[in-house]
Structure formats: structure tokens, C-alpha cells
Amino acid sequence: MHLAYPAVLSSLLFCTGLYGVLARRNAILVLMSVELMLNAVNLNLVAFDVWLSKAARDTLHSGQALTLFTIAIAAAEIGIGLAIVLAVYRGRGTSDIDKLRDTAESPDGGGPDGSLPDGSAPDAGAEAVTDEKAEATA
């Protein structure tokens, strides 16, 4: 078997995954595209391991062992990634990446830009009260 066949297939898979990451807006499709890219790398690892093992008789097949570790890490990554996407979907009602903002909230309950949910600016008295509470608990 020539090395060119799996290398071309791997590059096509990787380019397809890269297009999916850059063009998709749904978080689950982005995660699937990342997995496609990881599988392209795994295919390259195995193909080059087989190609290099023909040159030497005593080989350890380190490419195949590294592929097994990569598959295990990818499985853990997709499990955690799906858990995060489901938590965001339950909280926000969408998994569209463009519609999601920074999940951090300011201490006064406002949005990421410091405004209150009704669009008004927080007053300075509320900030002084929270500073006094922080000093009292310290």
C-alpha cells in the first residue's frame, strides 16, 4: 500500500473538519467537526507507523499506541463537551454559537457589559452596599 492514499484521505478529512469548525454555528456540529479532524490525525499516525515499520524489523508500533491514547482522550473530550453544550442549551435555550455571549455575570446581576437586564445602568449606591458587605465578611 502506498503512503499517498491514506495521506490524501486524511487531508480531505481534516479539511472537511476544518470547514465544519469555521462555517458551522451549531455547537454540536462544531464538536463533530473537531472529532473529524482528530480522526484524520489518527489515520495519519497509523499510516506513517505502518510505512515506517516496513523499514525496520523490530518496531514498537508507537503510532498505533499513540492513536489509542488519542481515541481515549477524544472520547473524554466529547463527553465533557456534550455536557457543557447541554448545560448551555438548558440555560439559554439555544446552541447557536453566535447567539451565546460570555457566561460570566457581573456581581450586581447585570450583563457582561455592566448594564442591568432592563438596559439601565446600575446606581452607585448598590455598588457601595456590596463593597460594605464584602468588607464585613472579610
Side-chain angles (χ1 to χ4, degrees):
M1 177 175 73
H2 296 286
L3 184 62
Y5 299 133
V8 168
L9 179 63
S10 176
S11 65
L12 289 174
L13 283 174
F14 191 85
C15 290
T16 305
L18 185 64
Y19 173 75
V21 167
L22 295 176
R24 299 294 175 186
R25 294 183 180 170
N26 190 348
I28 294 186
L29 291 177
V30 170
L31 285 174
M32 289 174 60
S33 298
V34 168
E35 291 296 320
L36 194 62
M37 292 167 63
L38 284 173
N39 286 331
V41 171
N42 288 338
L43 179 62
N44 256 345
L45 282 171
V46 172
F48 276 98
D49 182 53
V50 168
W51 183 64
L52 291 174
S53 68
K54 290 181 181 179
R57 289 184 173 207
D58 298 327
T59 59
L60 297 174
H61 297 291
S62 58
Q64 294 177 14
L66 188 60
T67 299
L68 289 176
F69 285 118
T70 308
I71 290 171
I73 290 171
E77 174 221 348
I78 199 69
I80 291 171
L82 281 175
I84 291 171
V85 168
L86 284 175
V88 167
Y89 181 76
R90 287 181 182 167
R92 304 270 176 117
T94 183
S95 63
D96 190 2
I97 294 175
D98 290 339
K99 292 182 181 177
L100 298 178
R101 284 191 166 177
D102 191 9
T103 57
E105 292 182 351
S106 62
D108 56 358
D113 59 346
S115 63
L116 292 176
D118 62 354
S120 63
D123 60 340
E127 186 174 310
V129 172
T130 56
D131 290 340
E132 289 174 9
K133 286 181 183 178
E135 290 175 7
T137 57

